Amino acid sequence: MQGNTQPAVTISAIASAAGVSVPTVSRVLNGRSDVAPATRERVEALLREYGYRRRGTAQPAPSGLVDLVFNDLDSPWAVEIIRGVEEALNAEDMSLVLSAIHRRGGADSTRRWLDALGARVSDGAILVTTDLDSFLHAELQRLNVPVVVVDPAGVPDLEVPTIGATNWTGAVTATEHLIQQNHRRIGFVAGRPGLWCSRARLDGYRAGLDAAGVAFDPELVINGDFDYSSGFAAGMELLTHPEPPTAIFAASDQMALGVYEAARQRGLRIPDDLSVVGFDDLPEAGWASPPLTTVHQPLSAMGSLAARTLVRLIRGESVESPRIEMSTALVQRSSVRALGS
Amino acid sequence: MQGNTQPAVTISAIASAAGVSVPTVSRVLNGRSDVAPATRERVEALLREYGYRRRGTAQPAPSGLVDLVFNDLDSPWAVEIIRGVEEALNAEDMSLVLSAIHRRGGADSTRRWLDALGARVSDGAILVTTDLDSFLHAELQRLNVPVVVVDPAGVPDLEVPTIGATNWTGAVTATEHLIQQNHRRIGFVAGRPGLWCSRARLDGYRAGLDAAGVAFDPELVINGDFDYSSGFAAGMELLTHPEPPTAIFAASDQMALGVYEAARQRGLRIPDDLSVVGFDDLPEAGWASPPLTTVHQPLSAMGSLAARTLVRLIRGESVESPRIEMSTALVQRSSVRALGS
């Protein structure tokens, strides 16, 4: 931080002088058309008069704000990531601005978030997203805002630092565990098609079978959508198979809970008649009846690491690796029993 | 908003001129001792030189930021409230700053949040808390920040606008439902003692029994702590009673899921051998096996209403009522069966 000889003019100060809101000034700066002509003229005159300079050309004082951005807040793991980010930022005396770029809002929603981001001069942004599109990426570069992506879905080739989890290894571990318990017909409920994490978990399941010499049976793999209802539907399909599986590995906890309900409706008890393993280790896994054996994904730690990585970028320090995958681990509870025991 | 003739000097501008961070300027303004004397002197000189005026004496432009504050982010309903607040603020082009005043951090954690709040000049704050202490309340008044409390716990006598839910009515409705299904021995797992919402739900349970002429049996009431493990323990106790209940009403969904596990360990099936009703209607209720009948608490709508109420306060408009309780409603799923059917 240089000791400037006079304070930088802020958007907030311009807004106050013009008698308009901060987002309005930001819209003018970003060349948006939805500003009344008279307002635009007044704001532009003040921007010239006070010599406003965009961030990146000036050296503004750090705002102490970091944006955390979700596509939508309806994901059950959102709160886990939020908690990790909040704790790490809190330790740095920084504050968390939480946003959802609502998918239903489309490009306009993204535009509005970018306007707000420009107006409040956040020090950086953490995106939790399965699809960082090129438009968003270009705009963030233009705003000169450091970015880290928390990426539970596992996109492997972003140009910004990303924090993920070892999806493939976690799926191998879960499959090996079921095989060690003498299961051979192991159903798999796959995640949403088209996401890297879905593919990684499916590949891990196949690798676990292959390592044990268990033949892969495509009829035992049903695609789900990560949610409860798709897990229920997949469970019903697997359990009506002429030669049904003795164990089902679901690529998310919610789908595993759907499998629980399918088993109940088929009159099967878990784990006596069917073993089930999930993936994520959300709090709900421990509240299931019986408590669910699952692959722990360190969502909160991923959030904390993303925040610490972003703080390094904000301070101009380098990061060790453009992508870090944090380790998953099997959490054994009560939903698996050894066959033949 | 008056059309001021020149921009107000901001803390950020002072920080930039002094070559220090924004929180440091805030510490100086708040009379904190943890600032180096030379830094304090330099900042104070700049504050005088540029004629900095605190918010409340000047008319700063709205920052477009609203603080949402939790005690801790480990509550399962936190994300529901966050979603409601975020959507309402998004519709107003405002942004959400999310903070946790960590209980384990104590007074220091509260102090740090207040410093940060003062530094970034939030337009207002929404507190989600079961205990707004007098220190915090006095400090918020001093900072001249409008406040609304989202209060799932039901504190009835705060001096600031509060948004709650009809805990008592919800418990009456759940109890009436079980009585209509011919249950007479209805166990109750109460919430954490000492909270108003716990008392309201217990009173509603008793009122429901009384209205139907069913005698209250104190042996059928076990205190819980709202969490899964306390529900499990209460369920085990109720189900080992010499004359066990045919239905259990738990004052939270998590405790109801604990009762599920107690029933499973006792070899009882839900709803065939035991009916269960919860309270909250978290997403988890729908993922239980069988899906849980429960009292819906409109957490997301409570968050939205809190945000809209705060926006009214920020704009200097009046609010209709210092306390609003939003209605609860019974959501019937598959965990209750009619006795004798």
Side-chain angles (χ1 to χ4, degrees):
Chain A
M1 179 67 47
Q2 289 107 339
N4 298 339
T5 52
Q6 63 174 28
V9 176
T10 62
I11 293 186
S12 170
I14 298 290
S16 181
V20 300
S21 73
V22 167
T24 300
V25 175
S26 176
R27 283 194 199 99
V28 171
L29 282 168
N30 289 322
R32 288 275 298 274
S33 59
D34 53 351
V35 181
T39 304
R40 173 184 302 282
E41 213 165 282
R42 188 161 78 250
V43 169
E44 285 179 340
L46 284 163
L47 287 168
R48 283 191 300 273
E49 184 180 338
Y50 291 107
Y52 173 80
R53 291 187 299 169
R54 269 182 188 273
R55 63 180 285 125
T57 56
Q59 287 276 357
S63 65
L65 295 178
V66 163
D67 270 56
L68 174 62
V69 189
F70 289 84
N71 279 124
D72 280 303
L73 285 169
D74 56 6
S75 154
W77 34 255
V79 72
E80 302 292 314
I81 293 174
I82 291 171
R83 188 185 313 146
V85 171
E86 198 280 335
E87 285 180 0
L89 290 180
N90 188 269
E92 301 281 347
D93 258 336
M94 299 178 85
S95 297
L96 185 171
V97 178
L98 185 72
S99 303
I101 299 184
H102 300 275
R103 282 201 191 88
R104 63 176 182 278
D108 184 54
S109 181
T110 304
R111 184 74 257 170
R112 283 167 67 195
W113 174 68
L114 285 165
D115 286 346
L117 185 73
R120 69 177 162 260
V121 201
S122 273
D123 296 337
I126 298 168
L127 307 184
V128 186
T129 180
T130 53
D131 48 354
L132 177 64
D133 62 31
S134 54
F135 164 74
L136 184 56
H137 191 220
E139 287 296 301
L140 288 168
Q141 285 193 310
R142 200 173 63 79
L143 284 168
N144 200 22
V145 173
V147 171
V148 173
V149 171
V150 176
D151 172 32
V155 183
D157 56 357
L158 289 172
E159 288 167 39
V160 297
T162 63
I163 313 292
T166 56
N167 288 301
W168 182 86
T169 310
V172 170
T173 309
T175 308
E176 280 182 334
H177 175 65
L178 288 168
I179 290 170
Q180 281 159 8
Q181 305 301 311
N182 304 320
H183 292 277
R184 292 297 175 272
R185 280 194 73 72
I186 301 171
F188 183 67
V189 186
R192 189 181 310 153
L195 291 182
W196 284 103
C197 62
S198 301
R199 177 60 191 258
R201 292 173 196 177
L202 173 62
D203 284 356
Y205 158 75
R206 290 192 66 158
L209 294 179
D210 286 352
V214 176
F216 172 74
D217 181 351
E219 289 194 359
L220 291 186
V221 174
I222 312 282
N223 276 331
D225 194 30
F226 285 127
D227 64 2
Y228 174 87
S229 59
S230 69
F232 173 72
M236 291 301 276
E237 190 170 342
L238 286 167
L239 295 176
T240 49
H241 191 280
E243 198 187 341
T246 61
I248 296 178
F249 172 28
S252 78
D253 286 348
Q254 282 182 77
M255 293 196 298
L257 296 179
V259 170
Y260 270 48
E261 177 61 6
R264 192 187 70 88
Q265 293 194 15
R266 299 285 300 167
L268 302 174
R269 285 162 308 164
I270 298 166
D272 311 74
D273 307 316
L274 179 72
S275 292
V276 179
V277 176
F279 201 110
D280 281 336
D281 194 27
L282 300 177
E284 292 80 357
W287 307 336
S289 182
L292 177 68
T293 292
T294 188
V295 178
H296 178 74
Q297 190 169 202
L299 294 163
S300 175
M302 288 160 68
S304 288
L305 180 60
R308 289 196 303 272
T309 302
L310 184 65
V311 168
R312 291 180 69 96
L313 291 178
I314 289 169
R315 292 182 180 149
E317 298 165 13
S318 61
V319 296
E320 292 85 353
S321 161
R323 176 166 178 86
I324 292 175
E325 296 206 339
M326 298 186 77
S327 62
T328 50
L330 188 75
V331 179
Q332 293 188 40
R333 296 199 178 94
S334 311
S335 59
V336 172
R337 92 174 170 104
L339 261 200
S341 69
Chain B
M1 177 67 50
Q2 289 107 339
N4 298 338
T5 52
Q6 62 174 28
V9 176
T10 63
I11 293 186
S12 170
I14 298 290
S16 181
V20 300
S21 73
V22 166
T24 300
V25 176
S26 176
R27 283 194 197 99
V28 172
L29 282 167
N30 289 322
R32 288 275 298 272
S33 58
D34 53 352
V35 181
T39 305
R40 174 184 301 282
E41 213 165 283
R42 188 162 79 252
V43 169
E44 285 178 341
L46 284 162
L47 288 168
R48 282 192 300 274
E49 184 179 338
Y50 291 106
Y52 172 80
R53 291 187 300 170
R54 269 182 188 274
R55 62 179 288 126
T57 56
Q59 287 276 359
S63 65
L65 296 177
V66 162
D67 269 58
L68 175 62
V69 189
F70 289 84
N71 280 124
D72 281 302
L73 285 169
D74 56 6
S75 154
W77 34 256
V79 72
E80 301 293 313
I81 293 175
I82 290 169
R83 187 185 314 146
V85 171
E86 198 279 335
E87 286 181 0
L89 291 180
N90 187 268
E92 300 281 349
D93 259 336
M94 300 178 84
S95 297
L96 186 170
V97 178
L98 185 72
S99 303
I101 299 185
H102 301 275
R103 282 200 191 88
R104 62 176 183 278
D108 183 54
S109 181
T110 305
R111 184 74 258 170
R112 282 167 67 196
W113 173 68
L114 286 164
D115 286 347
L117 184 74
R120 69 177 164 261
V121 202
S122 272
D123 295 336
I126 298 169
L127 307 184
V128 185
T129 179
T130 54
D131 46 356
L132 176 64
D133 64 30
S134 54
F135 164 74
L136 184 56
H137 191 219
E139 287 296 302
L140 287 168
Q141 285 193 310
R142 199 173 63 78
L143 285 168
N144 200 24
V145 173
V147 171
V148 172
V149 172
V150 175
D151 172 33
V155 183
D157 55 357
L158 291 172
E159 287 168 40
V160 297
T162 62
I163 312 293
T166 57
N167 288 300
W168 182 86
T169 309
V172 170
T173 309
T175 309
E176 280 182 334
H177 175 65
L178 288 168
I179 290 170
Q180 281 158 9
Q181 305 301 310
N182 304 320
H183 292 277
R184 292 296 176 272
R185 281 195 73 71
I186 301 171
F188 183 68
V189 186
R192 189 181 309 153
L195 292 182
W196 284 103
C197 61
S198 302
R199 178 59 191 258
R201 292 174 195 178
L202 173 63
D203 285 356
Y205 159 75
R206 290 194 65 160
L209 295 178
D210 287 352
V214 176
F216 172 74
D217 180 350
E219 290 194 357
L220 291 187
V221 175
I222 313 281
N223 276 332
D225 195 29
F226 285 127
D227 64 3
Y228 174 89
S229 59
S230 69
F232 173 72
M236 290 301 276
E237 189 170 342
L238 286 167
L239 295 176
T240 50
H241 191 282
E243 197 186 343
T246 61
I248 295 179
F249 172 27
S252 77
D253 286 347
Q254 281 183 77
M255 293 197 298
L257 295 179
V259 170
Y260 270 48
E261 177 62 6
R264 190 187 71 89
Q265 293 195 13
R266 299 285 301 166
L268 302 174
R269 286 163 308 164
I270 298 166
D272 309 59
D273 307 316
L274 179 72
S275 291
V276 179
V277 176
F279 201 110
D280 282 335
D281 195 26
L282 300 177
E284 292 80 358
W287 306 338
S289 183
L292 177 68
T293 292
T294 188
V295 178
H296 178 75
Q297 192 169 201
L299 294 163
S300 176
M302 288 161 68
S304 289
L305 180 60
R308 289 197 303 273
T309 303
L310 184 64
V311 168
R312 292 180 67 95
L313 291 177
I314 290 168
R315 292 182 179 148
E317 298 166 12
S318 61
V319 296
E320 293 85 354
S321 162
R323 176 166 179 84
I324 292 176
E325 296 206 340
M326 296 186 79
S327 61
T328 50
L330 188 74
V331 179
Q332 294 187 41
R333 296 198 178 94
S334 311
S335 60
V336 173
R337 90 174 171 105
L339 260 199
S341 69

